[in-house]
Every structure is written in C-alpha cells, then in structure tokens.
C-alpha cells in the first residue's frame, strides 16, 4: 500500500454555551470538511463544579445535521419540533436541521462529569432544505477490533451498518482501549478520513497523536494501523470528499450569503418556532453579519 502521508492538524480552543471550554478540530483554515463532516467539537472530559454544567440557549440551525456522541454525562435536548430527549452515554442524538430548526442543550445534572463529541454533517444540496427531524439512537453496533472496543456511529464497517440516517457516504467509528491494543481498520479508497483523539495517545499510521490534534488522510488509502500502549479513545471519521462549496457561518450551513442572511433575519425576527421550554440558558443572539463577505468552500 502506498499512501500520501497524513496531515497533522491542531484543534483550537473555543467556548460553547455559557462557559464550556471545548476544542474544535473543524472547520480549520487548512481544511473545512472531511467527507460531509464539517464541524468537529470535542467537549471534555470535564468535571463541572457544583452548580455548573453545560447550558446552551436556544439557537437555530439550517442545512446540516448535528450529531452528538455522548461518552460521559447526560444532556437534555429540546427543540422547536417539541422534542425533549435526554442523551446518555453510548447514545447518539441526530438532529437534521434542513430548512430550519432551533434547540437548546443542557446538562441534566449540574456538577457532573461530561465527555462528548458534537459533530456536524453538511447536507447535500438536494436535501439541504428538507423537513427538520430529530432522533435519539440508544444503541449502536459494536465490535471487537484487535483489543479496541469499536462502536459504529455512522455508515458501515465490521459487516454491520449503523442505524443513524445520513444523506451522503459517511463513516464514524469510536475506538476505546483499556490497555495496549493494535488494530488495522480497512478503509475505502474513495473516502477521505480524520483520526481525532479523545483520550490518551495512540499511534495512527505511525503518527503519535494526543487530544487537541488530529490527522487528515486523503483518499487512496486502503487500511489504517492504530496502536496504543495504554488506555485510549479516538474517533475515525470519513466520507467521500464534498463536491459542492458550502458556507459555514455561526450555526448555519448554506450555499449562498443570501441564504445565511435570510436565516439570520428569520432568527432575529423570531420567525423560528419556539423551542420547547425548560432550558435555563438565554436565547442566543446571532452575531452581526454587517459588511462580512462570506466565502464558500469545501
Ligand atoms: Mn446546536
């Protein structure tokens, strides 16, 4: 197998909600998308102080799916379709924004531990204005892969297919080891991939990475060697490269500036349906777009 060397990319620090520190792997100026995965946030692991938790007030989304993978802790999702759903460890919440949805996200208990990944998937142009929907997936396929416990979050692997409904060819796998482990993951040569560390360190295709950094693999690779000496956890995400340019701005994914401006105007004028009540956090105010020329890319 000959393959192009992976790109090593540093995540950056950011804040979500009132004061929850996270690291953001995508979008990055070196790279905007991996397949249709267009936003990769890693939250925690964190032990919140007594009385503190994650509280993200009502905010809108268009043109994307938010994909929440819960590792530790419990979070309540409430949305403008009337859904209220607690997501627990080992579960995925998948919210398809399509033409528009708003939601809140709150720790179920303050003072608890939390560890999660929140990922966004850009919808293809043909589906980007679909009716919004939300689903909680309480159980996902698992497999033993060379000492790693693998959970299939999206797509197909290990002879299994994840139940999560996505709109383009994608893969998402969570890999956990409690001790030394070695695995070779078969890859699709038409996919590009990201390996993102969540805990510990691992050697991925011979590159050692730790939380806060990730590796990008261009298409053309048919396998990925992953090894760790100790407890570790990482995500392997992949998909066929995007063939459409998108604009990602605030919580919105669109094809044009006009579409972003229309969604902002709708949010600011209160034209989104109200989010089911219960969050303790304030409704988010959209940043101003005054004079900003947004750039489409992939
Ligand atoms: Mn959101």
């Amino acid at each position: 197998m000959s393959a192009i060397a992976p790109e090593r990319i540093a995540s950056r620090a950011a804040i979500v909600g009132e004061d929850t520190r996270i690291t953001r792997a995508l979008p990055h100026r070196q790279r905007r998308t991996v397949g249709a995965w267009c936003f990769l946030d890693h939250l925690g692991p964190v032990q919140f102080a007594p009385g503190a938790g994650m509280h993200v007030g009502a905010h809108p989304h268009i043109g994307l799916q938010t994909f929440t993978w819960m590792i530790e802790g419990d979070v309540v999702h409430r949305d403008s379709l009337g859904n209220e759903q607690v997501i627990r460890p080992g579960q995925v919440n998948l919210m398809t924004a399509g033409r528009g949805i708003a939601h809140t996200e709150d720790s179920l208990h303050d003072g608890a531990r939390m560890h999660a990944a929140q990922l966004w998937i850009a919808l293809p142009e043909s589906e980007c204005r679909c009716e919004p929907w939300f689903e909680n997936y309480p159980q996902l396929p698992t497999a033993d892969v060379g000492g790693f416990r693998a959970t299939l979050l999206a797509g197909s692997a290990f002879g299994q297919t994840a139940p999560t409904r996505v709109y383009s060819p994608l893969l998402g796998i969570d890999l956990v080891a409690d001790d030394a482990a070695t695995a070779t993951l078969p890859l699709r040569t038409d996919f590009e991939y990201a390996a993102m560390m969540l805990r510990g360190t691992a050697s991925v295709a011979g590159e050692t990475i730790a939380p806060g950094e990730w590796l990008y693999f261009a298409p053309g690779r048919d396998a990925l060697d992953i090894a760790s000496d100790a407890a570790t956890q990482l995500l392997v995400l992949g998909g066929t490269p995007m063939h459409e340019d998108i604009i990602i701005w605030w919580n919105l994914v669109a094809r044009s500036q006009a579409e972003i401006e229309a969604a902002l105007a709708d949010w600011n004028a209160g034209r989104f349906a109200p989010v089911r009540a219960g969050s303790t956090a304030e409704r988010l105010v959209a940043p101003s777009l005054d004079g900003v020329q947004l750039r489409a890319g992939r």
Side-chain angles (χ1 to χ4, degrees):
M1 178 187 73
S2 74
I4 305 165
E7 268 174 62
R8 179 186 290 266
I9 302 179
S11 302
R12 60 203 155 91
I15 300 278
V16 298
E18 289 159 345
D19 187 27
T20 303
R21 268 178 282 261
I22 57 110
T23 60
R24 182 159 296 156
L26 273 185
H28 189 280
R29 66 194 140 69
Q30 269 171 266
R31 184 146 291 283
R32 293 171 75 117
T33 54
V34 174
W37 300 104
C38 64
F39 189 95
L40 310 180
D41 268 4
H42 180 206
L43 297 79
V46 59
Q47 169 65 56
F48 284 109
M54 183 184 78
H55 295 283
V56 183
H59 60 279
H61 288 286
I62 63 166
L64 56 80
Q65 296 181 287
T66 64
F67 190 108
T68 306
W69 167 233
M70 210 66 207
I71 299 162
E72 284 185 84
D74 305 284
V75 168
V76 191
H77 157 97
R78 298 179 180 93
D79 66 36
S80 51
L81 301 174
N83 294 299
E84 176 171 314
Q85 176 70 51
V86 176
I87 180 173
R88 301 192 186 280
Q91 301 186 351
V92 163
N93 270 1
L94 182 55
M95 183 177 80
T96 301
R99 62 179 176 74
I101 195 167
H103 72 149
T104 58
E105 293 162 290
D106 290 88
S107 295
L108 181 62
H109 304 291
D110 283 345
R113 279 182 64 81
M114 189 171 74
H115 190 195
Q118 193 179 75
L119 317 173
W120 293 358
I121 303 165
L123 289 169
E125 177 132 43
S126 57
E127 304 287 348
C128 66
R129 288 181 193 81
C130 70
E131 285 301 307
W133 59 272
F134 169 85
E135 193 159 353
N136 169 264
Y137 296 91
Q139 271 192 321
L140 297 150
T142 57
D144 243 325
V145 186
F148 287 94
R149 269 193 321 283
T151 304
L152 186 57
L153 306 178
S156 296
F158 328 119
Q160 304 190 71
T161 297
T164 44
R165 188 175 154 213
V166 295
Y167 294 85
S168 60
L170 284 182
L171 179 73
I173 300 175
D174 177 270
L175 293 165
V176 179
D178 299 325
D179 211 329
T182 303
T184 299
L185 279 188
L187 300 185
R188 275 176 62 159
T189 55
D190 59 333
F191 272 28
E192 55 186 353
Y193 291 91
M196 177 171 140
M197 289 310 297
L198 300 177
R199 198 156 51 85
T201 60
S203 161
V204 181
E207 301 270 339
T208 300
I209 54 168
E213 47 188 358
W214 62 283
L215 296 172
Y216 169 77
F217 298 93
R221 200 173 266 272
D222 60 13
L224 196 59
D225 292 324
I226 303 174
S228 72
D229 297 332
T232 194
Q233 185 164 11
L234 68 153
L235 292 180
V236 175
L237 304 168
T240 50
M242 291 272 298
H243 295 296
E244 303 165 24
D245 287 341
I246 56 169
I247 294 173
I248 305 174
W249 192 77
W250 195 41
N251 296 300
L252 314 170
V253 171
R255 300 300 190 279
S256 71
Q257 177 135 0
E259 229 182 311
I260 299 271
E261 285 170 357
L264 270 184
D266 286 345
W267 179 247
N268 289 336
R271 285 191 290 266
F272 277 74
V275 176
R276 185 175 170 135
S279 176
T280 57
E282 297 278 315
R283 182 184 196 272
L284 302 196
V285 175
S288 167
L289 197 49
D290 261 357
V292 177
Q293 277 305 310
L294 300 173
R295 193 174 59 84
R298 63 186 78 163

